[in-house]
Amino acid sequence: MDVSAEEFEQILPMLQELVLGADFVALDIEFTGLRSNLPGPQQISLFDLPSEWYLKTRLSVQQFTICQIGLSVFSRVKGEYNKYVSHSCNFFLFPTTFGILDSEFSFQASSVQFLNQYGFDYNKFLKNGIPYMNEEQERKMKHSILSGSWRVRSSLDKDQIKLVIDRVTQWLDLAEEGDSMTLSGITGFQAFEVQLVLHQALPNIWTVFRDQEVTVKKVNTQQRWYLENTPCEQGNCWKEKLLLSARGFTVFFQMLVKARKPLVGHNMMMDLLHLHEKFFRPLPESYEQFKQNIHHLFPLLLDTKNVTKDLWKELNFPRVSNLSEVYDVLNSDCNPTRNSGPVIVHSRKCTKYVETKYPHEAAYDAFLCGSVLLKVAHLLLQRAYGDSTPAPSFPLYLEVLTPYVNQVNLIRAGVPKINFSGPDHPSIRPPILMLCVKRWPGVNEQQIYWEFQTLCKFDVRRFTRNKFLLLTNKFKDARSILKEYRHHPDLKVSLYRHWRHSPNINCLLQICGIITTWAVVAFLLGRPRA
């Protein structure tokens, strides 16, 4: 189900009811870009500590924006044996542009090309996207509206609103107190902008917005004062409605946070960064603060990339490269629990994905993600209990998934995952290799990278003038390079040993050696002669 900006506020109560009754919520997000083309040192690397990776990625998250969010809400079907129903929704988003709020973001050509390949509708994103804002933006907007310092910034809106003001002032000259007129065809934020401008410009009118129409009524000064000071629950409350409309998808985000349901994603680290930046607060500089904030917002995270990565190795499943292939393997005969696993159906309002695949459409990928979680959890349950497996339930599934809770996969960093509920686990990457270069003056990291690329891919970091550190995420690649270059005349590869290769330790050892030598010499010279 695709949800437009006009439909969003109407279905909010239904969405809230679905989330509150859910076992878990699966999520997928599409972006206008993934990573900025930063200079060498700013690019992410296998050498990066999680905090370094975070600071580099934070820059990209601030540069790009969300264009589509997909949610798939999974609920156990009462009275049915291990059966779940999925409610899947697509939300096209566009940053709130209103008054002082005017976000800047970039497009990455490769991301646009990728989404185009899978039929992404940029018209829905650009023309009919649901607005959103974070807490900092909301505070600024609320202050400007309630303090009366708000101004129309868009030149297009200024032209349209000027025509409306001219029309209303002409009508006021002939109208009597109590008369009203209707301004039709005014939708979205423009309806609120019209009211704000009219209230600021004309002291003898009052406005009401209903059913895509703004009704303007001529009133006297006393009536105007009374209407402005009427308690919200009795009056028009159009300023409060304006703020609600401007917050848009953020309203649902806050509902999701309050529901405290398990949040499921696939390779979801970028999703979490954008959720924090776009709907909560600007990303903090502190990596630890970011982790604390996410854990407070979503205390139970499950990343199916992290879960399946371990399971694939143990069960020797066919190699896969994306979520859709993971889903297909789990639905094939390769999965020993295929016929005994959970039954997953689409709700009657979300039949789009029953017969047709829509890869990289956010709601479809969210559905795949939630389905993968249930199927993998059932597989783990069978392995844990064997022939004495109890009747499956989602709490039981969560029990066998405990080792994976709040462990989110991390691509290209010094550790393979981030732990949002405690200290990060130590690295299990292959060892760092030391490369010593002879007879190759002026060699740089890029040249070293191309030298080894035919065998395997390494991240390269200069250590000294003629020494480089090499790091890969595959143990077999490290072994291969050590073997292939064992007798190379100009390129000597060995295991990096910190105590042996660190310049600081070598310097310290040299100083200690000099001191020791002088001490021995002084001792010998200072001995009394016989």
Side-chain angles (χ1 to χ4, degrees), residues 33-81:
L34 287 177
R35 290 203 170 273
S36 307
N37 294 319
L38 299 170
Q42 291 299 317
Q43 292 180 0
I44 60 170
S45 162
L46 293 173
F47 290 100
D48 291 337
L49 297 172
S51 56
E52 295 171 322
W53 185 97
Y54 167 75
L55 289 175
K56 291 178 181 180
T57 308
R58 176 175 175 258
L59 298 173
S60 296
V61 173
Q62 292 168 336
Q63 182 174 348
F64 301 114
T65 196
I66 294 171
C67 52
Q68 187 183 62
I69 284 187
L71 293 174
S72 201
V73 182
F74 284 77
S75 305
R76 180 82 177 266
V77 179
K78 293 181 180 179
E80 299 275 359
Y81 178 79

Side-chain angles (χ1 to χ4, degrees), residues 76 81-82 381 388-394 396-397:
R76 180 82 177 266
Y81 178 79
N82 206 21
L381 186 68
S388 58
T389 301
S393 66
F394 192 69
L396 260 181
Y397 284 158

